[in-house]
Amino acid sequence: MITDSVQSIWCRELQREDIAMDDDFFALGGQSVIMARIQSAYIEELGVEVPMDQMFRNPTVASISAYIASLDSVAP
């Protein structure tokens, strides 16, 4: 499930174990370097490229997971 994978990536990169689906990335201490590492993990682990602007627009596990799922629905 995408949300589980995204949550796992966030927990690892933010060095936290308690990230909820609606926790805000920036409120958790997220910043540009961590965001870049998460963006790379999405490519390597999920096989999707998530543009930086979408990461800003979708700052929760739930919202970015929904965005990633929408990419799969339009893939050939």
Side-chain angles (χ1 to χ4, degrees), residues 27-57:
L28 293 169
Q31 37 90 351
S32 60
V33 173
I34 296 170
M35 187 178 281
R37 289 197 316 248
I38 289 173
Q39 189 178 35
S40 292
Y42 291 155
I43 294 168
E44 291 176 27
E45 297 174 37
L46 304 178
V48 295
E49 188 169 341
V50 178
M52 196 65 70
D53 67 320
Q54 288 299 324
M55 294 176 71
F56 278 99
R57 290 182 187 145

Side-chain angles (χ1 to χ4, degrees), residues 3-75:
T3 54
D4 292 337
S5 297
V6 169
Q7 185 180 31
S8 176
I9 290 168
W10 281 37
C11 286
R12 182 182 67 233
E13 297 302 334
L14 288 162
Q15 299 180 352
R16 297 180 65 122
E17 295 181 12
D18 60 342
I19 297 175
M21 294 297 119
D22 60 348
D23 284 344
D24 184 275
F25 173 79
F26 301 103
L28 293 169
Q31 37 90 351
S32 60
V33 173
I34 296 170
M35 187 178 281
R37 289 197 316 248
I38 289 173
Q39 189 178 35
S40 292
Y42 291 155
I43 294 168
E44 291 176 27
E45 297 174 37
L46 304 178
V48 295
E49 188 169 341
V50 178
M52 196 65 70
D53 67 320
Q54 288 299 324
M55 294 176 71
F56 278 99
R57 290 182 187 145
N58 298 287
T60 67
V61 169
S63 64
I64 199 66
S65 296
Y67 172 77
I68 292 169
S70 76
L71 296 176
D72 289 341
S73 68
V74 296

